[in-house]
Amino acid sequence: MADTPKPGLFEKGGKLYWLHSSIDAFDTFLRVPGTVTAKGAHVRDGIDLKRVMIIVVVALIPAALFGMYNVGVQTSTLYGLDWGFFHKFFYGLLRMLPLFVVSYVVGLGIEFASAQIRGEEVNEGYLVTGFLIPLIVPVDVPLWMLALATAFSVIFVKEVFGGTGMNIWNPALVARAFLFFSYPSSMSGSGVWVSKTWAGLGGVDAISAATPLAIAHDGGFDAATGAVGQYSFMDLFWGFIPGSTGETCVVAILLGAILLVWTGVASWKIMVSSIAGGLLVGWLGQLAGATALPCYYQIVMGGFLFGSVFMATDPVTAAQTETGKWIYGFLIGALAVVVRLWNPGYMEGMMLAILLMNTFAPLIDHCVVSSHMSRRARKAAKA
Amino acid sequence: MPIKFKRLVLKKGLDIPIKGKAAPVVLKRVVPDVVAIKPTDFKGLVPRLLVREGDKVLAGSPVMADKLHPEILITSPVSGTVRQIVRGEKRKLLAVLVKADAKQEYVDFGIPDIVKEGQARDILLKSGLWASLVQRPYGVMASLDAQPKIIYISTFNTAPLAPDNEFALDGRLEDLQSGILALTCFAPVEEGITGDDSLFAKLGSVFQHRVSGPHPAGNPGVQISHFNPIQKGETVWTVSPMLVAAIGHLVNTGKLDLMRRVAVTGPDATKLGYVECLPGTPVADIAHVLPDVRVIGGDVLSGENLGAEGYLGFFQDQLTLIREGREREWFGWAKPIRPKVFSSSMCYFSWLTPKKEYEMDTNVHGGPRAFVETKCFEDVTPMDIFPIYLIKACMAGDIEKMEQYGIYEVLPEDLALCDYVDPSKNEIQAAIQKGIDLMIKEMA
């Protein structure tokens, strides 16, 4: 397998040359390509995009593992089942596995096909997207919906723009947005967040568990958390609550954040500024009387932290200038909490805030660069 | 005496820890059998051949001239007989090979009185040392009618394994001083120095700057952009210290002597040290080249692939020998630790061994992709520009944007580290060169 491509068959002019993108993808997956520098710098750094992407996947693993365990915890709690640690974990693992398989098979399939069509190498960006998608949808989402959403986002958000590096919006978030707007009943409300077991329990629809944000939606933030609400701050912090698989545990997300910031793969400026934006608006909301909830609750609820650590920091769709990153991150955090506090229809503002700021990131960069250029021109005129 | 100085401490940049620094010893002095004069060394030169095969030349005799400005001459560094005119595709002139005489004879240009109007200019043009003046923007040969605002000399080189000018020019203080005096006939001269006890700190008639920091702090382009940025319509000339010494020798003695100490460096050099030789000397005379080793004239970031059969270039004072990295490592990108591979990013564990030097090779370590990570470019570019915007403007061929984003201030070598660090393996120096070529064409 590793010694493909065989000369002739997959090489230019060979019978199976049209497959070369896929063959190359597998080949370079197994072994570093043997190409040597032809122009420019004669030596190159050991890093490549595969390494960058795998670092992000590793950073997501704590959140994914915790999420799987939490799937078991939520189900056993809701149905009053007496499951042990491993039972809970493997239940979650088995529930999550089909989501990962569908996400990767559909997404990578399209990636390979479009790389074939363009005759380019297969890009490794989907390694991350494919891992993110299962972590930001309800665990019981029907697989065909997931497949449809994945296909939509890979084709219309990524490939039509030219693949990884060219896309404007974060493909994983668009997949979620697609599901949310197309199949709202499978994506929100209090019935979808806890996995029903396969045997017998599936029919018990009366039993439901709502996420803190859903409770807040129906009964206000006070009903959800805080001093009198259903979930305490520590529940939200440790993450034993219903929600999208990856988003609930603050500790697991912070572990990933540490790796991303340490390796420099994701921008700490975006993470810090989005949290600052969220805190500020949360605090203003408190002052304005929109909620009695202390502002730091906003950070640990829902997808806020997961979004600011893993989604807002996507280097392709985020602002690229360093000043721009501060502005971009701050506005994401601020907008997400604005949506939560002042939009009665929909509580989870993070997804829309990030997608909106993805749209405006090039504009932010444009402003930063133009103002820098005019400052430079003024300095030059003075000198 | 130094007039006054500014101090610049740069933080951004990267010193690539490659093995094979030249020891400060002179290994040998090469008396070449054949030397090559390559018009391709001089950017902006449209060569017109002045000799035929079999002609006799002296050291300093013209071999070719610029078609557009026939006063600009390229001269032979040795005396001998023209053995061969090497041409490439479409009869493009690639090199003139001169078989050297056993006893060297020099053209006597006479000792000029450089204080007199035009004398310095005349002798530089006649001797062929005009070609040692590099004009910015664009890094081309100095034009005859340009009035540079300054002439800038970076006295130290921070590129990987670069020669130590303190050693390479040891004992040539007098030549350097005369060279600077000759250059002051054209414009005020400024130099960038690192370390207060530098040889170059002893020079007078020159505005001295103090610069320190990782590569590319030693690049003249980086220093100029901090001390005296080039605006539209302005020009600055740069000269390498080695050629300043040659100019000084010329005005002191009236003879062209391009003998230089060339650093033989790199992980695959059999002997590390300095070799005294002339430009155009065959690579094989300077260093022993093992099979499957690339010979780079210059450093690993911006040097030229000379080939084992090649000849040292006019501006080159370094050879770097590195292995062609064609081996394919299993699961390279997925291994937690790759002890033989250096990465400046924190995604590998090279940061655990900050003192280690690596036997690097020419492997690309990945395939070409669209830009994803771009902050890494800013981290290695200590200039007041947005590298990614400039690079993209160059790729798109957008003249107006290139101007805005600072194309006048950079040469490919100033962004060479972007080539190195890019995880998407884009050819950034090539893109910048393409942008510069377009500017030359459109602004002419």
Side-chain angles (χ1 to χ4, degrees):
Chain A
M1 182 165 74
D3 283 325
T4 51
K6 285 180 193 130
L9 200 54
F10 295 112
E11 283 177 0
K12 208 162 188 159
K15 264 186 191 165
L16 293 179
Y17 177 66
W18 60 278
L19 268 176
H20 76 106
S21 286
S22 306
I23 298 299
D24 283 352
F26 285 116
D27 189 38
T28 60
F29 189 84
L30 294 175
R31 295 188 299 172
V32 176
T35 37
V36 295
T37 50
K39 50 184 175 181
H42 297 270
V43 295
R44 299 296 166 103
D45 198 280
I47 194 169
D48 67 348
L49 274 195
K50 285 190 177 67
R51 183 70 172 193
V52 173
M53 297 301 170
I54 204 72
I55 295 275
V56 184
V57 171
V58 170
L60 280 164
I61 284 176
L65 290 181
F66 176 86
M68 289 170 186
Y69 175 63
N70 188 39
V71 167
V73 170
Q74 294 304 322
T75 301
S76 61
T77 312
L78 189 63
Y79 292 102
L81 301 168
D82 185 23
W83 286 353
F85 175 83
F86 288 103
H87 194 156
K88 288 173 185 162
F89 177 76
F90 282 108
Y91 176 77
L93 180 69
L94 287 176
R95 295 304 307 220
M96 288 301 290
L97 215 50
L99 301 188
F100 281 107
V101 170
V102 166
S103 157
Y104 273 116
V105 167
V106 173
L108 281 180
I110 297 169
E111 287 269 352
F112 271 71
S114 48
Q116 290 283 169
I117 292 166
R118 285 202 296 261
E120 287 173 0
E121 285 190 44
V122 178
N123 209 306
E124 32 288 284
Y126 197 79
L127 287 179
V128 171
T129 311
F131 204 89
L132 276 171
I133 290 176
L135 297 183
I136 57 173
V137 295
V139 60
D140 263 1
V141 67
L143 293 179
W144 66 269
M145 282 187 200
L146 188 72
L148 199 64
T150 304
F152 173 83
S153 83
V154 174
I155 294 171
F156 290 102
V157 175
K158 212 155 121 187
E159 296 309 329
V160 295
F161 290 99
T164 302
M166 310 288 191
N167 49 310
I168 298 172
W169 298 283
N170 186 314
L173 266 183
V174 173
R176 190 184 197 278
F178 179 89
L179 286 173
F180 182 81
F181 290 112
S182 308
Y183 310 103
S185 59
S186 298
M187 283 297 289
S188 54
S190 52
V192 302
W193 297 105
V194 174
S195 162
K196 295 148 190 86
T197 59
W198 287 291
L201 298 166
V204 192
D205 274 343
I207 299 181
S208 69
T211 67
L213 281 176
I215 299 169
H217 174 229
D218 297 336
F221 278 103
D222 289 342
T225 178
V228 293
Q230 188 174 336
Y231 301 108
S232 71
F233 181 81
M234 288 322 275
D235 288 340
L236 299 176
F237 186 78
W238 289 106
F240 293 105
I241 50 170
S244 297
T245 315
E247 74 180 17
T248 57
C249 179
V250 172
V251 180
I253 294 168
L254 286 181
L255 284 177
I258 290 169
L259 180 65
L260 290 180
V261 170
W262 170 254
T263 54
V265 166
S267 166
W268 62 270
K269 290 175 186 167
I270 294 176
M271 297 183 195
V272 168
S273 61
S274 71
I275 290 169
L279 288 176
L280 182 74
V281 174
W283 180 67
L284 290 178
Q286 245 180 297
L287 291 188
T291 175
L293 200 63
C295 55
Y296 51 86
Y297 275 80
Q298 299 292 351
I299 310 301
V300 297
M301 278 170 99
F304 189 98
L305 201 63
F306 190 85
S308 52
V309 169
F310 293 109
M311 313 292 257
T313 53
D314 170 12
V316 176
T317 54
Q320 303 209 327
T321 53
E322 296 306 297
T323 319
K325 282 174 186 166
W326 287 113
I327 302 169
Y328 164 88
F330 184 85
L331 288 178
I332 285 179
L335 275 174
V337 178
V338 166
V339 171
R340 282 184 185 176
L341 295 183
W342 284 287
N343 169 22
Y346 174 52
M347 295 308 291
E348 186 46 285
M350 201 57 184
M351 174 179 89
L352 293 180
I354 296 174
L355 287 176
L356 189 70
M357 292 320 295
N358 281 172
T359 315
F360 286 112
L363 181 68
I364 296 173
D365 282 336
H366 176 81
C367 295
V368 169
V369 173
S370 316
S371 81
H372 178 261
M373 289 301 144
S374 57
R375 204 164 52 237
R376 243 174 74 118
R378 272 203 306 278
K379 213 167 81 184
K382 237 186 256 172
Chain B
M1 278 295 101
I3 304 165
K4 50 182 171 170
F5 65 82
K6 290 186 194 169
R7 193 178 288 277
L8 174 68
V9 180
L10 296 172
K11 292 266 158 54
K12 290 178 176 179
L14 172 67
D15 287 323
I16 299 173
I18 181 169
K19 202 170 175 176
K21 196 162 181 55
V25 285
V26 176
L27 300 173
K28 59 182 173 183
R29 186 183 176 95
V30 177
V31 182
D33 183 36
V34 174
V35 301
I37 301 132
K38 300 184 283 182
T40 44
D41 284 347
F42 309 99
K43 291 224 172 70
L45 176 80
V46 186
R48 186 164 64 86
L49 204 54
L50 301 177
V51 291
R52 268 181 277 176
E53 286 178 14
D55 283 1
K56 285 266 173 211
V57 290
L58 301 181
S61 300
V63 174
M64 53 190 106
D66 187 33
K67 251 182 198 156
L68 307 173
H69 307 95
E71 306 99 301
I72 299 179
L73 301 173
I74 305 296
T75 54
S76 170
V78 291
S79 68
T81 317
V82 177
R83 178 197 269 181
Q84 198 191 344
I85 313 282
V86 186
R87 290 184 184 274
E89 274 177 49
K90 294 185 185 167
R91 290 186 48 75
K92 185 187 176 191
L93 181 61
L94 294 182
V96 174
L97 301 186
V98 177
K99 168 115 177 77
D101 292 336
K103 189 172 178 300
Q104 287 296 301
E105 289 175 68
Y106 296 86
V107 176
D108 189 2
F109 294 103
I111 296 170
D113 187 1
I114 53 166
V115 191
K116 281 199 185 136
E117 179 78 29
Q119 289 235 3
R121 179 187 165 101
D122 279 352
I123 196 166
L124 286 189
L125 282 168
K126 276 188 202 147
S127 65
L129 277 178
W130 185 270
S132 64
L133 307 172
V134 177
Q135 180 168 308
R136 285 167 176 264
Y138 313 141
V140 292
M141 214 167 52
S143 74
L144 290 171
D145 40 12
Q147 176 51 55
K149 64 171 178 175
I150 53 165
I151 296 178
Y152 196 91
I153 303 162
S154 172
T155 65
F156 65 106
N157 192 341
T158 45
L161 306 176
D164 177 8
N165 283 335
E166 307 286 327
F167 176 75
L169 293 167
D170 188 29
R172 301 195 65 183
L173 193 63
E174 208 176 309
D175 282 346
L176 286 167
Q177 185 61 69
S178 306
I180 283 174
L181 285 173
L183 290 172
T184 51
C185 301
F186 299 94
V189 182
E190 300 186 7
E191 62 175 4
I193 296 177
T194 193
D196 287 337
D197 48 356
S198 161
L199 170 71
F200 300 92
K202 299 185 185 116
L203 295 169
S205 303
V206 56
F207 191 111
Q208 298 186 342
H209 301 287
R210 294 289 193 281
V211 186
S212 60
H215 187 62
N219 283 14
V222 171
Q223 296 173 18
I224 294 168
S225 83
H226 283 276
F227 296 129
N228 210 334
I230 302 172
Q231 309 297 336
K232 189 176 182 175
E234 294 179 337
T235 53
V236 166
W237 291 351
T238 64
V239 196
S240 75
M242 165 183 85
L243 292 166
V244 173
I247 292 172
H249 184 82
L250 175 73
V251 297
N252 282 342
T253 63
K255 284 176 189 160
L256 175 70
D257 185 2
L258 293 174
M259 192 57 88
R260 61 190 60 174
R261 283 182 182 169
V262 172
V264 178
T265 64
D268 291 274
T270 44
K271 253 188 195 167
L272 296 167
Y274 290 77
V275 171
E276 290 186 337
C277 64
L278 291 168
T281 304
V283 161
D285 288 358
I286 304 173
H288 178 57
V289 183
L290 297 168
D292 214 28
V293 164
R294 184 181 292 191
V295 185
I296 300 162
D299 61 86
V300 287
L301 288 176
S302 306
E304 177 191 1
N305 186 351
L306 295 174
E309 312 283 303
Y311 303 89
L312 188 73
F314 182 82
F315 293 98
Q316 291 163 0
D317 55 0
Q318 180 186 8
L319 284 188
T320 310
L321 290 90
I322 55 170
R323 206 161 24 89
E324 294 287 5
R326 294 207 178 85
E327 310 85 85
R328 307 192 56 188
E329 194 182 351
W330 283 92
F331 292 106
W333 59 278
K335 280 185 189 166
I337 296 171
R338 292 165 83 186
K340 285 185 181 162
V341 175
F342 170 74
S343 174
S344 61
S345 76
M346 305 297 271
C347 295
Y348 286 97
F349 288 94
S350 308
W351 54 272
L352 282 174
T353 50
K355 292 263 162 70
K356 185 173 169 180
E357 292 183 334
Y358 294 79
E359 292 191 11
M360 296 185 186
D361 58 34
T362 60
N363 193 293
V364 181
H365 299 298
R369 297 287 185 272
F371 290 115
V372 171
E373 283 281 337
T374 53
K375 184 179 177 289
C376 53
F377 298 150
E378 289 196 17
D379 292 343
V380 294
T381 311
M383 300 169 86
D384 189 22
I385 58 172
F386 290 105
I388 185 67
Y389 283 84
L390 178 59
I391 294 162
K392 284 184 176 172
C394 287
M395 286 176 162
D398 185 333
I399 303 255
E400 200 181 320
K401 288 266 163 64
M402 280 194 265
E403 274 189 333
Q404 276 178 10
Y405 297 149
I407 191 76
Y408 296 125
E409 295 187 37
V410 298
L411 289 188
E413 61 180 35
D414 299 324
L415 294 174
L417 279 167
C418 297
D419 258 359
Y420 178 80
V421 296
D422 186 9
S424 298
K425 312 294 176 190
N426 288 286
E427 298 295 346
I428 285 152
Q429 291 189 89
I432 297 287
Q433 188 60 53
K434 188 183 142 220
I436 287 176
D437 291 344
L438 185 70
M439 292 298 291
I440 294 174
K441 203 174 130 204
E442 296 291 321
M443 306 307 263

